[in-house]
Structures are given as structure tokens and as C-alpha cells.
Amino acid sequence: MSIYKRKEGQEQPYWPAGPFKVRLPFVHYRFEAPEFVQALIMFVVSLGMIPLLTEYLGLPYQVALAYVFIGGIGFMLPALLGVAMVPGWITPAIPVVLLFLGNFQPGPEAIQALFALQFIVFLIFFILGITKLGGKLVDLVPNSLKAGILIGAGLAALMGEIQNGGRLMNTPISLIIGSLVAFYILFSLSFKQLVENNKIAKVMANYGLVPAMVIAMIIGWMVSEYPMANVEWGITQPAFIEMWSYLPFAVGFPSLDIFLLAVPTAIIAYIIAFGDIIVGKTLLQRADNVRKDEKIDTNVDRVHLVTALRNLIHSFFAPYPGLAGPLWTPVHATMVERYKYGRKAMDSIHSGMGTFWIAGFIALFILPLVSLFQPVLPIALSLTLIITAYVCISVGIEQVHTTTERGVAGIMAVVLAIHGATYGLIAGVVLYFLIEKTTLFKAKSNNDVEDEVEEKKVI
């Protein structure tokens, strides 16, 4: 239950605060039980950042856990400030970030480098948000480039899992079965029909990716692809006091040359995050067409500002290899699908998204849950990447409508997936101006069309 009630066809109630729309649980939206339960399992994905923090920044485990708690606070900000997207990392950018960090020694040097990178990412989001160029950018970018970014990011995420040495190849039984279950529950047309007549199927649909993850974990334990958990009891103890010694305030701030070295990686990260924004907005627009009882505000400028704020907090208090991204694609897609079932299933898109990360933050304190899922963290991360790949590719294909657009998008996507976002973007822009703009100019010029007709008559 909540104090404020939404009238039919209107936006969910909020308190205006400049560019933000403040919503509080039980005041502006109700708690959603399926999202609460889903978060108690899905939160383990956020713990997957701990090995990267210990390896690349040289943090002790308890300090890395404290970093994750800072990240948990950031995950709750979008729902609080009026963004209708489930936030996450800039996941496909992680390999590029780790390549950048590999140039620095773990410890103060790497922490300074990651601060520089994340602060530049903050500046990009903030400038585009405050100038409102972010919202215009989404509309101005050609369809072929949107598609190329999305399909390329999807291919990159999938290739990382299925290549030799990837997690799916190393633990195929649990991950293949888990992926197939996830695809069936989230995207199958036959399952959607089954949900209408079967109570068990409806319950499974309400919990989205969780059934697939649980099945994959159980199979992984049964076939010994993953070790059994050593469950501990009590409350987690992140080292917040010790964490100060690993922050920029203590280790020092980076020099200008490190900032300059971080610029290309920051631009790549934003390009990928820009694709996430397109995916999130597209999925919300689909839901808005189905649910006429609620008007969803998909303000892209607000998404930029909140994402900027999260990256600013991280850069000073928990520099993060995953960075702070606008969208956790699989969970967002799952939640949007459940939202489409009607107001009884989920009262508001904000109630589902707000509930999820509040529950996820609470779960970080529950030591039995943290210790139970710790051995199978790779499953959670892999399923996230595989579902991200599916959604990115499907939404990317939706963006293109002509043969020319499909060709440009396809080439750009392959280059991006193999050689990175920088080369992918260059390839896409060059092909766009070389192929699409030439076609557009001819279409606009009546003289050119008449000349072509006359030439054909002469021939």
C-alpha cells in the first residue's frame, strides 16, 4: 500500500525536485513481492565485482565488499529520483576497462587511474544531461548507428561467453540449460500463452530470471561444475573504516596525463551506455503501449543526470571497474514483461523497480545469502550477459527498416564486437555518410532523379 494513489491514465505520484521526481516506498508506490524475492537472488550479481576489485585495485575482500555497498546505494538512486529503468553496470565495457587498468599497478596507481576514468564518465553524462543534449542525441543518431551499437554490444557480450575459455565453454551443462530456461520464460510465445491458463507458469513469469538462475545453480552443484557453498550465519561486515585508505582522498588524485589516457576508454563506455539507454527507452515505450492505466516518463536527460550522479559518487568513494550504467538489461526486460500483465501484477513500473534494488541492498547485509551464492557467482554474471546479448540484438534489429540501414548496422556491429567501440563507431559513421547520406541526397534532388531517368532512356 502507498499513501498517494495514481489516477487512471496518469503518471505515478511524485514530489518535484528540479529535474528529478522523488518517489519513496509506501509513500508514492507499494512494495512488489515478486521483485523483492527476485532481488534476494539477483543481488549476487553485484558481488561479482569483488574479484575484480581485489585483483585490479589490490583491495582486501572486506574493503571490496564495502565498495559493493556504495554501489548498492547508487543502485537505489534512479527509482528515488524518477528514472523508470533498473540500473546496473556498463557491463559490455568491463573488458575495455580492465584492459585500461592493466597498464597500472594494483594499489594506489590503479585506484587513481580508475578515479580518472570514472570522473570523466561522470562529466560526459552530466554535460549531456544538463545541456539536454542527451535526449536530443537519442533522437538525432541515425537508425543504422543505433542498431550497430546495440547489435555490436550484444555480439561482444555473447562472444565473451561462448569463445574458448569463456564461462559457457568451461561449465556448459549448467549455463546452457540455464540460458535455455531463461529464454523460454522471458521470450517464448508459447510460454506467454501458457501463463494465461497455468498458475505455475504465471508464478514463474512473475519471478523472471530467478527460476533459470536457480535451476542453473542446482545443476552446477549436481554435476560438480561449481563447488558447494560453505554457508555462514550472521551479518556481513564490510570494512568501511579501512576503506578510507583505498580512496583517492588517501592515495592521492591522478595527474593530468592519466586523465588524458582515460579519455578513449570513457568515450567507449558512454557509447555502450548510450546503447543501453536506447534499449531501456524502447522497452518502456512497448510497455506504455500495452498499459494505458499509467503514463511512463522516459526522460533521457534525467537518466543522464542520475547516471552522472552515481558515477560521481563512485569516483570519490568506490571507483568501480563496472562503472555506473543506466540499465541492467535482463532484469529491466523481465520487469517490463511482468508489468505488461496489468496493474494487479505490478501496480506501477516505479513500484517494481523501486522495490527491486531496496531489497537488493538489504540482501547485502544477509551473510547466509552472500555465502550461499558466492561459489556460483559466475552463473549469475553469465546469464546476465547472455540475456543482455539477446535483448540488445533483438532491439537493435528493430531500429533498421531498409536494406541500406541493415547493411551499415551489420558491418558496424561486427567491427564493434571484434575491434571495440571506437573502431565500430568510426566504421559506422564513415559508412553512414558514404552510403546513406549519398542516397538521401539523391532522393531529395529531383534533378538527379530526372537525370537518371533520362540516362536510362538513352541507353
Side-chain angles (χ1 to χ4, degrees):
M1 297 295 292
S2 60
I3 296 175
Y4 294 99
K5 306 296 182 184
R6 182 180 77 251
K7 294 182 180 178
E8 190 73 12
Q10 295 186 358
E11 191 177 348
Q12 190 72 6
Y14 62 89
W15 291 332
F20 306 114
K21 296 181 176 181
V22 176
R23 292 184 177 93
L24 301 175
F26 303 115
V27 177
H28 299 100
Y29 61 83
R30 75 183 191 189
F31 251 44
E32 302 286 352
E35 275 64 45
F36 192 93
V37 173
Q38 186 179 172
L40 294 181
I41 297 176
M42 292 299 295
F43 87 100
V44 299
V45 177
S46 63
L47 298 176
M49 196 54 57
I50 291 178
L52 302 182
L53 291 167
T54 56
E55 179 180 355
Y56 288 89
L57 298 190
L59 305 184
Y61 175 85
Q62 297 297 339
V63 173
L65 183 60
Y67 269 43
V68 172
F69 271 80
I70 300 298
I73 294 172
F75 285 142
M76 293 187 289
L77 287 179
L80 174 67
L81 298 178
V83 174
M85 293 184 189
V86 181
W89 306 325
I90 308 180
T91 307
I94 291 176
V96 183
V97 174
L98 297 182
L99 186 63
F100 168 72
L101 290 177
N103 298 317
F104 304 92
Q105 287 292 327
E109 190 176 310
I111 293 171
Q112 290 178 2
L114 190 50
F115 167 85
L117 171 61
Q118 195 141 27
F119 189 79
I120 294 172
V121 172
F122 148 71
L123 288 177
I124 294 173
F125 274 102
F126 180 74
I127 292 171
L128 292 176
I130 204 70
T131 59
K132 299 187 182 299
L133 290 175
K136 295 177 181 177
L137 191 62
V138 172
D139 296 324
L140 289 176
V141 172
N143 291 334
S144 56
L145 299 193
K146 290 180 185 177
I149 292 171
L150 293 173
I151 298 172
L155 290 175
L158 187 61
M159 287 164 56
E161 293 301 309
I162 65 176
Q163 66 185 2
N164 289 332
R167 280 179 290 264
L168 188 140
M169 299 304 293
N170 290 335
T171 55
I173 300 174
S174 55
L175 285 181
I176 289 176
I177 294 175
S179 298
L180 293 176
V181 173
F183 285 141
Y184 182 69
I185 293 175
L186 295 178
F187 307 116
S188 170
L189 298 177
S190 63
F191 183 75
K192 289 181 180 179
Q193 294 178 353
L194 188 63
V195 167
E196 297 178 1
N197 303 312
N198 188 290
K199 292 183 178 180
I200 296 177
K202 188 171 184 178
V203 171
M204 293 179 67
N206 283 341
Y207 291 100
L209 195 57
V210 169
M213 192 170 295
V214 170
I215 290 172
M217 289 175 178
I218 293 173
I219 292 174
W221 282 322
M222 289 175 60
V223 300
S224 300
E225 287 185 340
Y226 293 92
M228 295 297 294
N230 179 24
V231 179
E232 302 176 34
W233 300 94
I235 299 175
T236 54
Q237 297 180 345
F240 289 112
I241 296 177
E242 188 180 349
M243 182 179 72
W244 180 263
S245 300
Y246 296 88
L247 296 181
F249 305 103
V251 303
F253 290 92
S255 58
L256 179 60
D257 60 330
I258 295 180
F259 276 101
L260 294 176
L261 287 172
V263 169
T265 306
I267 293 174
I268 290 171
Y270 177 76
I271 292 170
I272 294 172
F274 174 77
D276 286 339
I277 293 174
I278 296 172
V279 171
K281 184 177 180 181
T282 301
L283 293 175
L284 288 172
Q285 287 172 339
R286 289 181 187 173
D288 205 27
N289 292 333
V290 174
R291 287 279 299 269
K292 302 301 182 182
D293 60 288
E294 179 180 13
K295 179 183 177 183
I296 302 176
D297 181 4
T298 59
N299 188 297
V300 173
D301 298 316
R302 187 180 304 117
V303 176
H304 276 74
L305 290 175
V306 175
T307 307
L309 177 60
R310 290 174 56 220
N311 277 290
L312 180 64
I313 293 171
H314 268 297
S315 61
F316 282 99
F317 298 103
Y320 230 48
L323 306 175
L327 190 73
W328 187 359
T329 305
V331 176
H332 181 82
T334 298
M335 213 169 291
V336 168
E337 286 301 313
R338 198 175 83 80
Y339 174 76
K340 290 179 182 178
Y341 290 125
R343 192 163 185 174
K344 289 184 178 180
M346 186 187 299
D347 180 58
S348 166
I349 194 71
H350 298 281
S351 63
M353 295 178 177
T355 299
F356 182 86
W357 269 124
I358 291 175
F361 184 71
I362 293 171
L364 290 174
F365 289 93
I366 305 174
L367 184 57
L369 284 177
V370 173
S371 57
L372 173 65
F373 294 119
Q374 193 166 2
V376 288
L377 287 179
I379 290 178
L381 185 57
S382 291
L383 289 182
T384 296
L385 288 169
I386 291 169
I387 299 303
T388 297
Y390 179 93
V391 174
C392 285
I393 292 171
S394 64
V395 174
I397 292 173
E398 265 188 14
Q399 307 298 315
V400 289
H401 309 291
T402 67
T403 302
T404 303
E405 288 179 344
R406 286 190 285 269
V408 172
I411 297 296
M412 178 183 177
V414 172
V415 174
L416 189 152
I418 296 175
H419 295 290
T422 300
Y423 290 107
L425 183 64
I426 293 172
V429 170
V430 170
L431 289 175
Y432 170 73
F433 280 102
L434 185 65
I435 300 175
E436 289 191 63
K437 290 298 287 185
T438 302
T439 304
L440 289 174
F441 285 139
K442 286 182 179 179
K444 290 181 179 179
S445 174
N446 291 330
N447 291 333
D448 288 346
V449 175
E450 291 173 0
D451 290 342
E452 288 180 6
V453 173
E454 290 298 323
E455 286 176 5
K456 289 180 180 179
K457 287 181 179 179
V458 172
I459 294 173

